[in-house]
Structure formats: C-alpha cells, structure tokens
Amino acid sequence: MEDVSQKIRKDILQSSYESGACHIGSALSCVDILVTLFYKTLQKDDVFLFGKASGVATYYAILADKGHFPKNKLSYYLKNYPLASTEVPGIVHSFGSVGHGLSVACGMALGDRSRNVYVLLSDGDCQEGSTYEAVLFAHHHKLNNLYVIIDNNGLQACGATQDILQLDNAFEFMKKSLKNIAVIDTVKGKGVDFMENDYTWHYKNLTESQLKKALTQI
C-alpha cells in the first residue's frame, strides 16, 4: 500500500497547489488510514463518513483514483468544496464544522444494522460535546456495526492538542464505551519535512517552489 499512499500524497500536493487549498497537513496525516480503508477494508455495502472536516483532499484524491470522477476534476472539486460535500461524486454526506461526524454515523448505523458504518474523526472532534453524546448513544444502542477511527496527529489549527485540551481521559472513555474504535497516532504533514509536526500548515498554501520541493520528498 505504500506505493498507493505515495501516489495519493502527490495528488494531494498537486491539487492543493492548483486549487489554492489549505489543510494540507491534515490531509497528509490521514493518507495511510484512508488508503487502508479504501483499498483493503471497505466492502461493497459499507458506508464511510469523513467526519474529520479538515484534510478532505485525501478523500477526494482517493475517490478520483478509484474512478468516481476524472482526475483532472480533482483540483476543481477541492477549490469549490474544501470540506466534504455531496456535490462531489462518491460523498454520501456533507460535513462542515468538527463534532458532527459521529452523530451522523450513529444515525446511519442505527438505521441499517446490516451494514457497517465507518467514520473518521480528528482529535479536534473529541473536544466537542456532541461527540460525547454520540458515544453515549452508540453505547446505549449497542451499535456493533459502527467503526470509529480517530486521526490523532497531536496538532490542531492553533497549536498542540495537549496545550489546548488534554484528551487522554477522553480517549479512554471512548475506548471503554465503543465496541469498535481505533485511536491512531499519525504525523501532521507526513512525508514533507517542512510540514511535518508544524501546526501552521493547517492553513498555509503551497508556493510553486514549495510544491516542487515537497514532490521530491514523496
């Protein structure tokens, strides 16, 4: 899967540059997670929700690679829909602010228990009260067909997660309450040395010279 991940990372960088999109660090941190899901795990009737909000370039790049729309449309969709939108072929639910993903996933999992529902959250999602309510709801209704994945890259828009809100207890609570949950430690900006572990790449845009340098590192 490493070759696929490298391909997706290059597509993220190129399309982000062409569209003037930011959230590049967030996109690069979840590449390996989504590649594993879409190329090894998800079955035909499974549902995937990109609840993480920031970093949707990864999702779009994978959808293009899997033929949901022509690759030359990738930059167009990223420019016009910088957060997950059903206007993009292959997206089943639109998302904006963090904190909504798990609630929607719970509703879909409850509505049809015959299918598996996967949702990707960020560490920022775990600071939202709506996420905790959704955890309690999932536990109460025994949603064993719900799979929760947390991209724990340790950085948010304004700094390190631990400096904004400590989440250790939150993760323990979620692990005890949800049957299927994975908290995956990732690297924000993975694969590009000047982006890795730098929270400012949550909002920065690539210059042409930075794009060339980044592409040589993937």
Side-chain angles (χ1 to χ4, degrees):
M1 291 289 96
E2 183 59 32
D3 289 345
V4 178
S5 292
Q6 288 181 337
K7 178 183 179 182
I8 296 300
R9 286 192 172 91
K10 289 181 179 180
D11 289 344
I12 290 168
L13 293 169
Q14 188 67 46
S15 60
S16 294
Y17 171 73
E18 293 175 357
S19 63
C22 57
H23 298 156
I24 304 169
S26 299
L28 293 175
S29 75
C30 65
V31 169
D32 294 328
I33 295 173
L34 263 63
V35 165
T36 300
L37 280 174
F38 277 86
Y39 295 85
K40 296 183 69 175
T41 305
L42 293 175
Q43 302 299 308
K44 181 180 178 180
D45 294 328
D46 292 344
V47 175
F48 172 75
L49 299 172
F50 192 88
K52 186 168 122 74
S54 299
V56 76
T58 305
Y59 192 9
Y60 290 177
I62 288 176
L63 290 175
D65 189 60
K66 294 186 76 68
H68 287 270
F69 55 84
K71 188 176 176 179
N72 61 12
K73 295 279 286 185
L74 179 54
S75 298
Y76 168 81
Y77 283 128
L78 187 56
K79 179 179 181 178
N80 288 278
Y81 308 104
L83 299 174
S85 171
T86 54
E87 294 298 318
V88 179
I91 303 289
V92 299
H93 196 282
S94 299
F95 287 99
S97 302
V98 296
H100 299 162
L102 188 54
S103 296
V104 174
C106 283
M108 288 189 171
L110 181 65
D112 186 351
R113 291 179 180 267
S114 69
R115 65 184 179 185
N116 292 324
V117 178
Y118 293 79
V119 59
L120 178 66
L121 306 179
S122 66
D123 42 18
D125 278 293
C126 300
Q127 298 174 354
E128 299 290 337
S130 55
T131 298
Y132 289 91
E133 293 179 21
V135 170
L136 294 174
F137 182 92
H139 178 75
H140 176 76
H141 289 281
K142 297 180 174 57
L143 299 180
N144 296 334
N145 59 326
L146 174 66
Y147 293 80
V148 181
I149 305 162
I150 299 173
D151 179 2
N152 183 36
N153 61 38
L155 294 173
Q156 298 181 27
C158 300
T161 303
Q162 65 179 6
D163 295 334
I164 297 170
L165 185 65
Q166 185 57 255
L167 289 176
D168 290 345
N169 291 335
F171 290 153
E172 289 304 312
F173 166 72
M174 295 175 77
K175 288 177 181 177
K176 291 178 181 178
S177 301
L178 297 172
K179 178 177 176 60
N180 305 308
I181 181 171
V183 180
I184 301 177
D185 294 332
T186 60
V187 177
K188 193 160 187 132
K190 183 179 178 181
V192 180
D193 62 4
F194 60 86
M195 291 187 187
E196 286 189 355
N197 295 312
D198 183 351
Y199 75 88
T200 63
W201 277 99
H202 191 84
Y203 289 123
K204 281 184 178 180
N205 301 109
L206 280 165
T207 64
E208 184 177 1
S209 61
Q210 287 173 330
L211 172 65
K212 291 179 179 178
K213 181 179 180 180
L215 288 173
T216 64
Q217 296 181 14
I218 300 298

